[in-house]
Amino acid sequence: MKRKHAKGHHSAPGNERIGSFSDGVFSIAITLLVLEVKVPDDITGGLITALPVILPKLLAHVISFAVLGIYWVGHHNMFLHIRRHDRWLLWMNILFLLFVASMPFAAALIIHYPDDQLALIFYALMLIGAGLALNLTWRYATKHRRLVPAELDADLIAFVNRRQLMAPMVYVIAVLVSFLNLNVAKLLFILVPLLYIVPSPLDQFHHKQLADTE
C-alpha cells in the first residue's frame, strides 16, 4: 500500500542514515558514561568502607544510562512513523544529538559534585534540551502530516506530544525544587525513568497504528 504524505512539501524518502548516525551517537554517549565510575585507588579498611562513595556514583551512572535508553527508545519509535526527511528535520535531529552527546559530561558533573546545585541544574538543562529537541522534531514532522503518512492517527500524534513533554516538565520542577531541597530534587530524577520504562497505553496505540499502516 503506497502511503500518502503532505503535498507540496519537498522531502526525500529513506531515513536509514539518520538512524545509523543517531544510533552511533547514542552508543558512544552510553559507553562514555561508565568511564566516570572509577574504583577508588586507595581503599582503607576494605571495599565495604568505600561503598558510601561508590554507590552514589553508580546510581548516577545507572540513572543516566536509563535516561539515554529512554530517549533512544523514543527516538526509535518516532522514526518508525517519520518516513521522509528534509534539511530542517536533519538539523533538528542533530540538535537533539547535541544534547545526547553532552550527557556524559553532565553526568560526570553529578558524579563528581553530587551536592552541588549548579551541577544538578546543568544536568537537568541537558535533559530538558534533549526532550524539547525530540518533541520539536516530532511536531515538525507531523504538522500537516509533513513527513509522516497522511493516515497517521491525530490522537497518536497528540499522545506522543504529551508523553515527550512529560520528562522536561518533571526536570523543570526538579530545578525549582533544588532551590528548596536538593535531595528531593534528586528523587525526581529517579522518578522519570520509572514513568517511561513501565508500559503505558502508548505502546498498544503505537503498535496498532504501525499495523494499520502496513
Side-chain angles (χ1 to χ4, degrees):
M1 176 181 175
K2 187 175 181 180
R3 299 178 181 86
K4 296 181 179 179
H5 298 263
K7 294 182 179 180
H9 181 76
H10 298 289
S11 60
N15 293 331
E16 294 80 8
R17 294 196 65 189
I18 296 176
S20 298
F21 177 60
S22 300
D23 287 348
V25 173
F26 270 102
S27 298
I28 293 171
I30 284 178
T31 301
L32 290 176
L33 284 176
V34 76
L35 298 181
E36 294 299 328
V37 184
K38 298 180 177 66
V39 177
D41 295 327
D42 184 18
I43 302 178
T44 304
L47 182 60
I48 190 69
T49 61
L51 288 181
V53 176
I54 296 174
L55 288 181
K57 294 182 178 181
L58 188 59
L59 178 61
H61 165 70
V62 170
I63 293 173
S64 299
F65 191 100
V67 168
L68 282 180
I70 289 166
Y71 278 126
W72 179 85
V73 170
H75 185 273
H76 167 75
N77 288 339
M78 190 173 73
F79 272 89
L80 290 176
H81 297 290
I82 300 175
R83 308 293 171 79
R84 303 177 68 84
H85 65 270
D86 61 10
R87 183 174 292 272
W88 282 109
L89 183 89
L90 293 175
W91 282 105
M92 288 176 191
N93 189 64
I94 289 174
L95 174 63
F96 168 67
L97 294 178
L98 168 65
F99 292 106
V100 171
S102 302
M103 275 303 298
F105 175 71
L109 289 179
I110 288 291
I111 289 172
H112 290 287
Y113 306 101
D115 297 319
D116 191 305
Q117 183 190 16
L118 187 58
L120 183 142
I121 291 175
F122 182 80
Y123 184 72
L125 290 177
M126 290 300 102
L127 295 176
I128 292 169
L132 293 180
L134 190 68
N135 184 249
L136 176 65
T137 306
W138 176 250
R139 287 178 180 272
Y140 177 79
T142 56
K143 186 176 182 180
H144 306 308
R145 306 301 193 278
R146 183 183 280 123
L147 301 170
V148 299
E151 65 271 19
L152 187 63
D153 196 308
D155 290 336
L156 175 62
I157 294 174
F159 199 158
V160 173
N161 274 325
R162 292 194 300 270
R163 190 160 177 81
Q164 287 179 341
L165 292 175
M166 184 168 62
M169 288 177 60
V170 175
Y171 294 134
V172 169
I173 294 172
V175 170
L176 297 176
V177 171
S178 72
F179 288 93
L180 302 175
N181 191 307
L182 198 61
N183 290 324
V184 174
K186 291 178 183 178
L187 291 176
L188 292 175
F189 285 90
I190 299 176
L191 174 64
V192 172
L194 296 178
L195 291 174
Y196 281 88
I197 292 174
V198 175
S200 75
L202 177 60
D203 300 314
Q204 184 178 358
F205 201 173
H206 165 72
H207 293 117
K208 181 180 182 301
Q209 183 68 42
L210 288 175
D212 291 343
T213 56
E214 286 179 354

